[in-house]
Amino acid sequence: MKRNIILTILIAGALSSCGEYNKILKSTDYEYKYEAAKNYFANGKYSKSATLLEDMIIQLKGTDKAEESLYMLAMSYYNQQDYVTASHYFTTYYNTYPRGTFVELARFHAGKALCLDTPEARLDQSGTYKAIQELQMFMEYFPQSSKKQEAQDMVFELQDKLVQKEYLSAKLYYDLGNYMGNNYESCIITAQNALKDYPFAKLREELSLLVLRSKYEMAVQSVVEKQADRFRETIDEYYAFKNEFPESKHSKEIEKIFKESSKKVKE
């Protein structure tokens, strides 16, 4: 107890001097070094805390400080917004200490860190899938957690990003039209798969509109013998769209598609 009080006094003085940090870093007194790391962490100096902890993590393994030091190291990187490294250490923590004191928080932050690191929708989304998986695992392990709703909201947000990626792909196919092949068909397949995989997506109406537009364009540009059937498919798609989105902001456009398609079927 007396030693801990002395350590606290010494460390408080050391933290006020940049030169003292280098002395702490070179110290072989791991108890002193560890208390310094905790003090740096408590004072928001996460870079220094992480550096000290990284230097000690192997030596502390197997001691009573090992568990706390690993979690604190992960949080130090998390608070520096180095989310990839943070997630790595959170994962290491819960795999090493599956019944540890901080296991619920470690699983949660492992997923949240990955969520915060995900790229914009136009880029590769492999990290988004990984973040969703991590957050879903957290909810499975801790279904009663106070952080469950936050985790669920992040999953929905990440799924919206995946839908945005699919929407951009479908839109690109639509814009390409018949350039080097039937891109309208590819647009339909991409959009319909997104609608099936994410039935509550925010972009559901926009994806459904792409399907309707593509079916209409395919009908317009078809050979004569296929036009009647394709215009009927377009009309069926119109009714499905109208039924799901009766107050659509695209009403003027879809009514025009319906009118033109109905004329062609009657010819």
Side-chain angles (χ1 to χ4, degrees), residues 142-158:
F142 301 98
Q144 304 304 319
S145 174
S146 61
K147 293 187 177 294
K148 181 181 178 181
Q149 187 59 56
E150 185 179 352
Q152 186 65 75
D153 290 342
M154 282 189 281
V155 170
F156 289 148
E157 177 188 329
L158 292 166

Side-chain angles (χ1 to χ4, degrees), residues 14-15 17-28 32-33 36 40 48 51-52 55:
L15 291 178
S17 169
C18 292
E20 287 299 323
Y21 171 70
N22 290 324
K23 290 181 182 179
I24 296 170
L25 192 60
K26 294 174 183 177
S27 175
T28 57
Y32 174 68
K33 207 169 181 179
Y40 279 124
K48 289 182 177 180
T51 301
L52 289 173
D55 192 48

Side-chain angles (χ1 to χ4, degrees), residues 190-207:
T190 301
Q192 286 181 333
N193 284 339
L195 288 166
K196 180 181 177 182
D197 293 340
Y198 307 102
F200 304 108
K202 290 179 182 178
L203 287 172
R204 185 170 182 84
E205 182 176 349
E206 302 304 320
L207 286 163

Side-chain angles (χ1 to χ4, degrees), residues 163-197 203-218 221 237 253 257:
V163 174
Q164 175 73 8
K165 174 78 170 178
E166 293 305 299
Y167 171 76
L168 291 172
S169 295
K171 182 68 165 55
L172 178 60
Y173 283 128
Y174 178 81
D175 291 340
L176 287 171
N178 283 321
Y179 177 72
M180 296 183 70
N182 186 357
N183 292 296
Y184 293 120
E185 188 171 4
S186 296
C187 174
I188 292 168
I189 293 169
T190 301
Q192 286 181 333
N193 284 339
L195 288 166
K196 180 181 177 182
D197 293 340
L203 287 172
R204 185 170 182 84
E205 182 176 349
E206 302 304 320
L207 286 163
S208 299
L209 182 63
L210 280 177
V211 174
L212 176 59
R213 285 173 174 170
S214 294
K215 288 193 174 185
Y216 176 70
E217 292 297 335
M218 281 180 63
Q221 298 179 40
E237 195 66 40
E253 179 184 354
I257 288 173

Side-chain angles (χ1 to χ4, degrees), residues 5-17:
I5 293 171
I6 294 170
L7 278 175
T8 302
I9 294 170
L10 289 172
I11 289 161
L15 291 178
S16 64
S17 169

